[in-house]
Structure formats: C-alpha cells, structure tokens
Amino acid sequence: MKRNMDAPQIDLMRQSEIMARIAQRNGSRPERPAAFVDTYGCQQNEADSERIRGMLSKMGYAFTNDESSADVVVINTCAVREHAEMRVLGNIGALSHAKKANRDMVIAVCGCMVQQEHMAEKIKKSYPYVDLVFGTHELPRFPELLESVLKPNRKRVFAVTSSDGEIAEGLPVHRDRGVKAWLPVMYGCNNFCSYCVVPYVRGRERSRMPESIVEEAKSIVLEGYKDITLLGQNVNSYGRDLNRGVDFSYLIEEIDKIDGDFIIRFMTSHPKDATRRLFETMAGCRKAAPHIHLPFQAGNDRVLKAMNRGYTKNGYLELVAEAKEVIPDIVLTSDVIVGFPGETDEEFEDTLDVLKKVRFDSLFTFIYSPRKGTPAAGMPDPFTREDKQRRFDRLLELQYAISAEKHAEYVGRTVRVLVDGETGDEKANLSSRTAGGRLVHIRGDADNIGKFKDVKITGSTTWALFGEIV
Ligand code: SF4
C-alpha cells in the first residue's frame, strides 16, 4: 500500500491558519480561556490527547483541571470495554449542569467510542448539549471543527468518517508527563482478533516514516524526557506498509543511537509477530528496556483459535523461552481475558498453566466484555458472570503470589532506577521505575525527579519494591 502523504500536509496548513485565527481571537479576550481534556483508555489515546492539547495550546487556550470552569471540554473516549463507555457516558451526563451554568462552554467528545456509529447516534439523541463529536480519523481537523462550533448561532457538528485515515505529521504536541513521553510509531491494526473493536475504530495499520519518528525522538530527548515509549497496537509489524525494508528493530536501533541517557520502551507486541531479531535488538541496544509486554490472552488452543490470535499455547511458551534465553533478566508482562465466549473451566486451566510456566512479573487481567459488531459478540456463551468471576479470582490469586515472589527476589540487590514522581506517602515519598518497569518507592528530595539513581532494594510487596538511594 502506498500512502499519499501530500493531502494531509496541505490540510494541515489550513488547520494551522485556523489555529492562528482562533489564537488571535482568544488573545483579545481579557483572560486566557481554559480547556479541560479528559482521556480514557490506552496510551494511544493519551498520545492523541497530547496532540489535542498541543492544538488547543496553539489556539491560545490555557489548561485547567476543573471541567466546570473550562471554556472547552474535550472527552477523548475508549471503546475497548463496556465499563469504560459507561464511565464516559456518566461523565458526559454530569456535564449537563456545567453547561447550564455556562451556555458558551464547548463540549467535544472524540476517540474510539464515538467512532462506532451507534455510540455517535446515542450522543446525538441523548446528550443534546454536546456540541462536537469527532472520530479517530478526524483528529487533525480538530481546529476546523472547533472553529465551526465557536461561531455565533452555533450548530452541533458530527464528524465521524470511516476511512482508514492518513498520518498527519507535524501536529503540535503538548506533553506534560514530566519524565515520560509517548511516541506513536504506527496507527491502526490489521489483526481482527475476534473480541476486539480496535481495527474497526482505528482503521488499518499505518506506519509513520522512520525519519519522522527519529526526529521526534531527538526533540523529546532534547526537551529532557528520560523515558520514551514507542506506541502502536502491534509494533512488531511496524514498517510492513512502507515497503522500505525497515522494521521495528531498525527503529529501536536508530533511536538507541541518539545521544543522551534515556530508556526506550514499547508497546504492544503481538506474539505472532515477535521475533528473535527483536529480542537480539533489545539485548544489543543499551537504551532498550529489558521488558516486553506480550499479551497471550488465553492459554487454550481452541480458545486462541476462536480469538483469531494466530498462535498456540506451545508457540507462545517457545517464544517466551527464546526471549528469556536472549535476555536473561527480561521483565515479562501480559494481558489475559477470562471468560471468552464458550471458554470452559478445563480450558481456563490452560491459562493458569501459562502463568505457572512463564511466571510473569505482572498481568493486566480482564473479564471478557462483548463489543458490538465483533465476531465474538455473536458467539454462544453458556457461562454466567459468576463462573467467570470465580475463574478471575483464581487467576488473580495465582498471579499475586507469583508477583510477590518475583519482587522478593529483588531484595538485597542494587538496581538503577529513573525517579519519576512523588507518591504523597511520607515514608517513601518518591516513585521510580527500574529499566524493566518495576515500581520502586524510595525516600529523597524532589529534585531527584527526572534523574537516574542507584537504589538498594530493602523490601517488597505484590505491587512494588522499596529501596534506599545509595
Ligand atoms: S492485535 Fe488484536 S487485540 Fe490487539 S488491537 Fe489488534 S485486533 Fe485488537
């Protein structure tokens, strides 16, 4: 697939002109108007919100944490689980009071949830005070869309297209995560796992040009960020659509060459596309974190096939063995779905078996949530919520024990950490992460934030390590 990069760049110039126009209007107001951006869901959404904030900042908006006093509220939504959608709808509902108090407030809802037609319709009908709804592919047109709802006698605007989207380079980015930066390397997904809505709401895989990514990485390092996470739904297929002979390992190698002391992380890796070359690249690049998040989702081959995951339990275990062989101190994390339609108690035992064999450092665990329009949502499922909850509890109990044991193995060791923030707890007032991503609570001055420190580990729990700066 060859992408046409020209069209979005020309449109981007138009968006820049609109941003300048809005900034001029905002500049003539006695007080700088304020915006509130609320983000749900994954890191990709966080990265999109940084671009939304970047555009808002260029348009002359300051930022507030108080949505009721904001002039513009943007809610960037997630569609991965029903629970997240319910939370978003609850929060949109609560905004009706703020809107009554301030009729000029602009309420915008964007992201994956509203990319689904039925949800965009729901907002149109049930939340008449929402001014603007825009889907994932419309993000670069945010200034134009905002300008149309800022006009006198404003009309509601709904912009949800079903194209696979282009990549718009050069959008302003407003990062405020202190020492950590997200860096999207690709968008969309081609995998169509049978439970997942992402390919429908984010379109097909589109890789950014390696030069653009490396340039952005350089500027992130220059700005002082110490921890860069390369983002994509399936980073291991990076570059396939570019036909330039570049892959994800190449990208890590190029970013590793940038001068400076920083860590390179990435997510998410799909097991069917992870390779020995990736592990060897991680081992060979000094700045690459010895951590891989490798979602296995289920341990049973029939369930994996029904999920359309493209690997088997043994294939996954062999891959993990290879990763451990190439990077002996690798930190492994994963995602698991419990209660996929039709998964039996016996089949669930295979999931527990994977936990016992791999011994993940930590897990992100979910009870299956049907997503409208996906094949799995139409599969028969004789098991009750209670059956699934019972399995879920067993899964957590096992994983908590493994995490606690793995954390206890750190006690007495000295590890290098990046101090990334304050905890609010007097006894261990700073939080930090090892290169492998383990959370370490320490005591020290706040001016350690953003610095690498050697820390002696003195204690551990299921969720964190505790240590002293040496
Ligand atoms: S790889 Fe599967 S689970 Fe991940 S985003 Fe793509 S379709 Fe969804």
Side-chain angles (χ1 to χ4, degrees), residues 221-333:
V221 173
L222 275 180
E223 282 169 46
Y225 289 93
K226 302 284 186 206
D227 185 316
I228 304 176
T229 303
L230 311 180
L231 291 179
Q233 299 296 346
N234 176 16
V235 289
N236 301 125
S237 60
Y238 171 80
R240 279 187 198 158
D241 56 319
L242 296 176
N243 297 325
R244 287 188 41 186
V246 294
D247 63 4
F248 187 59
S249 295
Y250 168 82
L251 207 52
I252 295 177
E253 284 160 357
E254 289 303 299
I255 296 172
D256 189 62
K257 286 181 199 158
I258 299 171
D259 283 341
D261 198 3
F262 61 94
I263 299 171
I264 307 167
R265 304 185 190 282
F266 57 87
M267 69 184 341
T268 292
S269 285
H270 195 303
K272 80 176 169 51
D273 296 314
T275 57
R276 188 175 188 97
R277 168 162 155 76
L278 173 70
F279 305 142
E280 284 173 350
T281 303
M282 290 166 69
C285 290
R286 204 176 57 81
K287 291 162 190 154
H291 169 215
I292 190 157
H293 183 71
L294 205 53
F296 79 96
Q297 307 297 14
N300 179 267
D301 287 348
R302 187 202 67 79
V303 176
L304 285 169
K305 193 152 191 271
M307 287 178 162
N308 193 29
R309 290 291 289 172
Y311 54 85
T312 59
K313 176 187 176 192
N314 276 342
Y316 184 86
L317 292 174
E318 279 164 19
L319 189 69
V320 166
E322 207 170 4
K324 286 180 175 172
E325 181 203 321
V326 178
I327 312 168
D329 62 345
I330 195 160
V331 170
L332 279 157
T333 56

Side-chain angles (χ1 to χ4, degrees), residues 29-42:
R29 291 170 57 160
E31 248 181 67
R32 204 171 165 199
F36 173 83
V37 182
D38 200 6
T39 311
Y40 294 78
C42 67

Side-chain angles (χ1 to χ4, degrees), residues 189 191-193 195-196 198-199 233 270 297 309:
C189 184
N191 288 319
F192 289 93
C193 299
Y195 52 83
C196 183
V198 166
Q233 299 296 346
H270 195 303
Q297 307 297 14
R309 290 291 289 172

